[in-house]
Amino acid sequence: MTTQQRIRIGDLLVAQQIITSAQLLNALDEQKNTGHKLGRQLIEMGYVEENTLLTLLSKQLNYPFIALKQFQYDKELVQILPETIARRYRLVVLKRDPDGLLLGMSDPTDIFGLDEAHKALKENIKPAVVRESELMDIIDTAYSRAGEIASLAEQLDEELGGEALNLSELLSSVEDTDAPVVKLLQKIFEEALKTRASDIHIEPDEHVLRIRQRIDGVLAETVMNEKRIAGALVVRLKLMSNLDISEKRLPQDGRFQLTINKRNIDVRLSTMPVQFGESVVMRLLDHSQGIKKLDRVGMTPEYVKRFRHIITRPHGLVLVTGPTGSGKTTTLYGGLSELNTPEKKIITVEDPVEFRLPRISQVQVHEKIGLDFARVLRATLRQDPDILLVGEIRDASSAEIALRAAMTGHMVLSTLHTNDAVASALRLVDMGVDAYLVASSLKAIIAQRLVRKICESCKQPAMPSSDERLLLKSLGVDDGIPFYRGIGCSHCYNTGYHGRIGVFELLELNQAMANALRDNNVREFNTVAHNHPHYRPLSLGALDYAIEGLTTLEEVLKVTAQVEDESIASPPTPQPSSTVPSPATTSLPAIAAASDEIHGVSLSDPSTATVDSPNGDI
């Protein structure tokens, strides 16, 4: 075992004049409240950068500094160290060689952690310095619960015995945390949080039970042979959501809260009768992550500046649009968090209320008792608000009230299920709202998508495919530019992607657009909007990320395909064939035309044009 040198981090940083003695004392006082290690406390208080601290410790202790994002680890080797020790002391086994085990440590001065690791591993240890966030990603990925879930599923299947589900026994285990069904659900939720899943699907099939998790927008499937346990899982989840366990013929919606690894999770649950039982879908909301600020949702600094200017106006309607799961609520809450001051009265009307915010009056819609969006909106206008957030504009009635509120001196923020910013204004008119109301009140529209980020651990150069070359050619982009993809590794569950980032387009309505709306001139509105000097379509935003190496051209193609239907609905004025568009000025019609050619759709042939209806929330 390598002999640990005794180093006092605080004294070392003061000696190197990286922090002051006063800052060290402040951190030590705050450490008593938080219980963090001193290094972590100094980083969170902003007194020292993590890289600065780790580089200093690496040099002082003569330990290597390893960037784990580029490190290919062995999952089985990581698991030789018990998970409890790995999590408690922030340790991970990285490599085995003739000299012993390379042990990654977020705090290389932790003598107790080294002692515990040596007792558990009984081999020579060579410490290395690593970033804590990267270390925790490996721990969450490597210590998978898949084996435990399978074992608990078998145990629950054996306990159920016969074909029939014994409800009385299941009800008696409601408070029994050792019951197999409770332990199985606990492991399923733990696994979902480790993999950063946004949704969990429980789907009974004829002979198997499928449990699927949506990770970075894509479903990953686990198949279990113990199909009989599906009924027990559904009943338990209904009990947790206060739903009717005897009703299996009708869909039901509910929600509940639970704490997993000290993280408060809000679960929105939906059940639906299917051919072989009941399907359950759960949306997970991690409140421990807090509300993201506008500059952290993925907007460019220019868009953040313009959006902040728009929402601080005294009145008007601002829409955030996109399909389900595109991050609209995150953007709206980011804006609200900046507007939330003692001088402003803010009321939200939501279904459901996703995040609780201090000082803001949040109203939960309950349509079964007549408390729908329109009724709540009328009531909120008598509550003297400055700012209104309408969770979603669903019909002409709620749209008209929101627009009238915006016209009478309120700032109104809301969402709409449309594919791009230009189509959103026209969708309001299509709903049956008077065009003059839309023209007078609508100030700006943000459309957004989430694209998957390339995993940094397995990122490699990649040649564009034929479809991708066609898209690049339509945009006037050289396909010789280096693009990248992930080949798949243990960090990203062999998907090649890790995490997502927002892509945005922002359309601020000017007088010419307002006049086109008043005249109900769709073609004129489209032309003026696409020629707006500050308008940049979603596809070009996604392409910027691909050029920067953050995402793949495959993700750019997906964004292009998602917006093409809206463009087909209102064909733009043809561009001269001799003009070659540049990436900075290419219009959405040109991108849509390229996507149509890729997907076999011709704008000149009406029989091939289709328009998707907006998606609905769970």
Side-chain angles (χ1 to χ4, degrees), residues 173-174 176-187 236:
S173 69
V174 170
D176 184 4
T177 57
D178 291 327
V181 64
V182 177
K183 293 169 70 175
L184 176 57
L185 283 173
Q186 179 83 6
K187 297 303 179 186
R236 174 67 189 183

Side-chain angles (χ1 to χ4, degrees), residues 416-418 423-432 566 611-614:
L416 192 66
H417 282 106
T418 49
S424 301
L426 304 175
R427 182 62 54 82
L428 290 175
V429 177
D430 289 342
M431 282 182 172
E566 296 288 351
V611 182
D612 287 342
S613 60

Side-chain angles (χ1 to χ4, degrees), residues 241-253:
S241 308
N242 293 318
L243 299 180
D244 184 356
I245 61 174
S246 64
E247 180 56 78
K248 300 179 181 179
R249 302 165 300 169
L250 298 173
Q252 297 187 67
D253 297 317

Side-chain angles (χ1 to χ4, degrees), residues 176-375:
D176 184 4
T177 57
D178 291 327
V181 64
V182 177
K183 293 169 70 175
L184 176 57
L185 283 173
Q186 179 83 6
K187 297 303 179 186
I188 289 173
F189 282 118
E190 287 179 3
E191 181 70 7
L193 288 186
K194 287 179 184 297
T195 57
R196 300 170 291 103
S198 60
D199 302 83
I200 302 173
H201 297 232
I202 298 176
E203 303 169 340
D205 209 333
E206 184 174 7
H207 300 296
V208 297
L209 172 65
R210 304 181 192 277
I211 296 181
R212 301 200 280 174
Q213 299 177 349
R214 190 172 295 280
I215 305 170
D216 294 335
V218 178
L219 287 171
E221 181 178 276
T222 300
V223 179
M224 297 182 176
N225 294 322
E226 298 81 11
K227 176 186 177 295
R228 291 182 302 169
I229 70 175
L233 293 176
V234 172
V235 170
R236 174 67 189 183
L237 289 168
K238 283 184 175 180
L239 289 170
M240 295 169 68
S241 308
N242 293 318
L243 299 180
D244 184 356
I245 61 174
S246 64
E247 180 56 78
K248 300 179 181 179
R249 302 165 300 169
L250 298 173
Q252 297 187 67
D253 297 317
R255 68 189 302 168
F256 58 90
Q257 290 184 325
L258 72 161
T259 301
I260 302 289
N261 296 330
K262 298 182 180 179
R263 294 163 66 180
N264 294 322
I265 309 300
D266 193 16
V267 182
R268 288 164 45 189
L269 178 142
S270 172
T271 70
M272 185 175 65
V274 292
Q275 186 176 7
F276 299 107
E278 286 184 276
S279 170
V280 176
V281 175
M282 292 175 284
R283 170 70 54 85
L284 308 181
L285 301 172
D286 188 353
H287 291 294
S288 64
Q289 301 297 320
I291 305 297
K292 283 189 177 180
K293 300 295 184 183
L294 281 178
D295 53 7
R296 293 184 57 208
V297 300
M299 285 189 191
T300 63
E302 176 62 24
Y303 273 15
V304 171
K305 180 180 177 181
R306 289 168 59 192
F307 187 56
R308 281 174 174 157
H309 174 71
I310 292 166
I311 62 177
T312 51
R313 291 175 179 174
H315 58 83
L317 173 64
V318 177
L319 290 177
V320 180
T321 72
T324 301
S326 58
K328 301 185 296 295
T329 303
T330 300
T331 300
L332 282 178
Y333 273 105
L336 273 190
S337 66
E338 298 196 6
L339 296 171
N340 187 12
T341 62
E343 296 80 23
K344 298 290 185 182
K345 170 76 171 184
I346 302 177
I347 301 177
T348 74
V349 186
E350 305 171 73
D351 184 21
V353 174
E354 295 194 6
F355 291 94
R356 278 74 173 178
L357 297 172
R359 199 187 292 113
I360 294 179
S361 301
Q362 297 176 269
V363 183
Q364 168 76 54
V365 169
H366 197 341
E367 294 188 355
K368 290 182 180 179
I369 62 172
L371 193 66
D372 55 16
F373 275 102
R375 185 168 183 177

Side-chain angles (χ1 to χ4, degrees), residues 117-186:
H118 184 66
K119 290 176 185 176
L121 298 172
K122 295 180 175 59
E123 293 188 47
N124 189 42
I125 291 174
K126 300 181 299 178
V129 183
V130 299
R131 295 185 184 91
E132 182 173 337
S133 58
E134 296 174 356
L135 179 144
M136 293 308 296
D137 282 342
I138 288 184
I139 290 177
D140 287 343
T141 305
Y143 292 96
S144 173
R145 292 290 190 269
E148 293 181 49
I149 289 174
S151 175
L152 286 169
E154 292 179 9
Q155 183 180 345
L156 177 58
D157 186 58
E158 292 174 1
E159 185 179 89
L160 292 175
E163 291 292 331
L165 179 65
N166 191 329
L167 280 179
S168 60
E169 288 186 9
L170 194 60
L171 288 171
S172 66
S173 69
V174 170
E175 303 298 332
D176 184 4
T177 57
D178 291 327
V181 64
V182 177
K183 293 169 70 175
L184 176 57
L185 283 173
Q186 179 83 6

